[in-house]
Amino acid sequence: MKMRSGALSELDDRTNGKKVEGKRIGDFLDYLRKIGKLQTAETYYYRFKLLAQHVGVCAEELSYEHITPLTLQTCAARLKPRHANVLIAATRSYFKFLVKSAGSEEEHRRFVYLYHRICDVPYFDVKRVIRRKGLSPEKLKQVLEAIEDDYYLLASTLIHFYLGCRPAELAQPFEAKTIDFENRSEPERIIDFDNKLISIITAKTGDERVVPIDDRMIPHFEVWYEGLERVLRWERPREWLTKTLGRRRNVPFRITAKTARQTFETQMRMRVEKQWAINYWLGHSTEIPDVYTDFVEAIEDLRNILVPRHYLFEELFSEYFST
């Protein structure tokens, strides 16, 4: 007669040696898929697969009969902390599933006991890395200093951090002409040098927002616009800025597609009280407050509210702007 392990014998003592049908891990995963939690089911499957290999069965056949606090903790200890915690969470969910699907009072008591035993297995400590959103002005200054030898890259970077927009929103063909506020219909990408405005189509919503350009930024916008073909020639133009900065070995910080946006929002929310202005500038909301009956008046007010307090125009960056 084949000797059973102590763990299985302990479980048999608690379950009176009875097997419960339809209680395997495979049934639990099918339940998750049935209620629409497809991603959760897939994630849990790969963790249960590791546990199944640990106890010597296939993942779908794994059941409460194979899982004890000791086997769970031993298997989890071999994984990276984050992966171990997913396995522990998945196992707790599985035993909670057993409790809820118990067919009798006896089963319910049995699975409640087993569930509490599994919950005694603690989660692993995970070192949390606090990531600051965006760059501080000092760090941005270091980036600008590193790319001063490429004026087009410098101008493009300044524009992205001035506008706080996604690279995908600027890596598009723009037309240099006057924005016609009277006969605006479809959203357009326009740079209006005469009135110092730029019309941007928001990437996520397709809505248009018109942002004022300060006089000090005009030379940079002119350089950017004249060389825009350099960006549009790329197979994926939206990646031009991040990839170009990433290839510069002297750039001290990693710039992602959201860095300029996060930097703008973080810095400007500390400097500007009227939050509608920031939300509109970034495209979070392209609605103008009801107090404005004239769209042009709203844009000019935006120019007066936000531009004078723009973090790029502080003394730290004065060398990049003519006075």
Side-chain angles (χ1 to χ4, degrees):
M1 185 175 189
K2 189 175 180 180
M3 185 176 292
R4 301 174 64 82
S5 70
L8 287 180
S9 297
E10 178 191 350
L11 280 176
D12 278 347
D13 289 342
R14 303 304 306 178
T15 60
N16 296 321
K18 297 179 182 178
K19 295 182 183 292
V20 182
E21 299 299 328
K23 307 298 183 184
R24 298 173 303 173
I25 291 294
D27 300 310
F28 170 55
L29 297 177
D30 286 342
Y31 164 76
L32 291 177
R33 296 183 188 106
K34 192 175 297 184
I35 63 174
K37 295 188 175 182
L38 303 181
Q39 187 62 51
T40 302
E42 183 178 2
T43 301
Y44 282 4
Y45 169 76
Y46 287 108
R47 298 295 171 261
F48 283 133
K49 189 175 180 180
L50 297 173
L51 183 58
Q53 291 171 352
H54 180 69
V55 299
V57 297
C58 67
E60 288 80 2
E61 294 300 320
L62 187 67
S63 75
Y64 68 93
E65 294 180 295
H66 307 101
I67 306 172
T68 67
L70 180 60
T71 56
L72 174 60
Q73 194 160 20
T74 304
C75 180
R78 298 178 178 180
L79 307 176
K80 293 180 179 180
R82 291 185 186 277
H83 296 170
N85 287 343
V86 173
L87 174 60
I88 293 170
T91 306
R92 288 186 180 185
S93 296
Y94 165 60
F95 276 88
K96 187 180 290 187
F97 163 76
L98 295 178
V99 171
K100 291 183 176 181
S101 59
S104 66
E105 192 66 33
E106 181 185 357
E107 278 187 8
H108 185 267
R109 287 196 301 271
R110 180 190 314 150
F111 291 135
V112 166
Y113 169 80
L114 296 176
Y115 170 69
H116 286 302
R117 290 289 310 280
I118 290 297
C119 286
D120 287 338
V121 178
Y123 286 111
F124 287 73
D125 288 333
V126 177
K127 291 182 180 179
R128 296 186 179 273
V129 179
I130 300 176
R131 301 184 185 277
R132 297 181 63 130
K133 287 193 173 183
L135 300 178
S136 66
E138 292 74 21
K139 288 185 176 180
L140 176 56
K141 178 67 181 302
Q142 292 181 53
V143 172
L144 298 176
E145 288 174 340
I147 60 175
E148 287 177 350
D149 60 317
D150 184 339
Y151 186 33
Y152 187 77
L153 179 59
L154 175 66
S156 299
T157 303
L158 283 168
I159 288 170
H160 279 81
F161 280 86
Y162 172 80
L163 294 172
C165 60
R166 307 171 182 88
E169 294 173 342
L170 287 184
Q172 306 285 346
F174 276 76
E175 188 175 0
K177 66 177 185 179
T178 301
I179 297 176
D180 186 354
F181 288 101
E182 296 295 328
N183 301 300
R184 294 164 69 239
S185 53
E186 295 297 317
E188 294 181 274
R189 297 181 180 91
I190 299 172
I191 181 161
D192 184 344
F193 286 108
D194 292 334
N195 295 305
K196 299 167 188 155
L197 299 169
I198 183 169
S199 172
I200 303 167
I201 298 179
T202 303
K204 287 191 175 181
T205 64
D207 294 332
E208 179 187 43
R209 64 187 193 271
V210 178
V211 174
I213 303 172
D214 186 78
D215 289 344
R216 290 163 286 186
M217 285 295 300
I218 291 294
H220 300 305
F221 272 93
E222 290 175 342
V223 170
W224 166 75
Y225 178 73
E226 291 298 324
L228 190 54
E229 188 60 33
R230 174 178 170 181
V231 177
L232 300 180
R233 282 199 301 265
W234 272 55
E235 183 178 353
R236 291 174 64 87
R238 66 179 61 192
E239 296 179 353
W240 177 82
L241 182 69
T242 53
K243 290 284 183 69
T244 304
L245 288 171
R247 290 173 180 174
R248 298 283 301 238
R249 294 186 178 182
N250 60 337
V251 173
F253 307 106
R254 181 170 177 262
I255 307 297
T256 70
K258 292 184 178 180
T259 302
R261 191 171 184 77
Q262 291 170 339
T263 301
F264 179 94
E265 186 162 14
T266 301
Q267 296 300 321
M268 296 310 294
R269 289 202 188 280
M270 294 188 295
R271 292 166 168 79
V272 176
E273 292 182 5
K274 294 188 177 181
Q275 298 302 300
W276 76 263
I278 297 173
N279 291 334
Y280 177 84
W281 188 289
L282 290 170
H284 291 324
S285 171
T286 51
E287 295 294 323
I288 294 296
D290 293 338
V291 67
Y292 294 104
T293 56
D294 186 343
F295 184 78
V296 177
E297 179 189 351
I299 298 303
E300 285 308 304
D301 215 7
L302 186 67
R303 189 191 299 274
N304 296 328
I305 291 170
L306 203 149
V307 172
R309 296 175 178 82
H310 202 297
Y311 69 97
L312 279 183
F313 300 139
E314 295 175 356
E315 183 64 28
L316 183 65
F317 303 101
S318 59
E319 65 186 276
Y320 302 109
F321 305 100
S322 57
T323 56

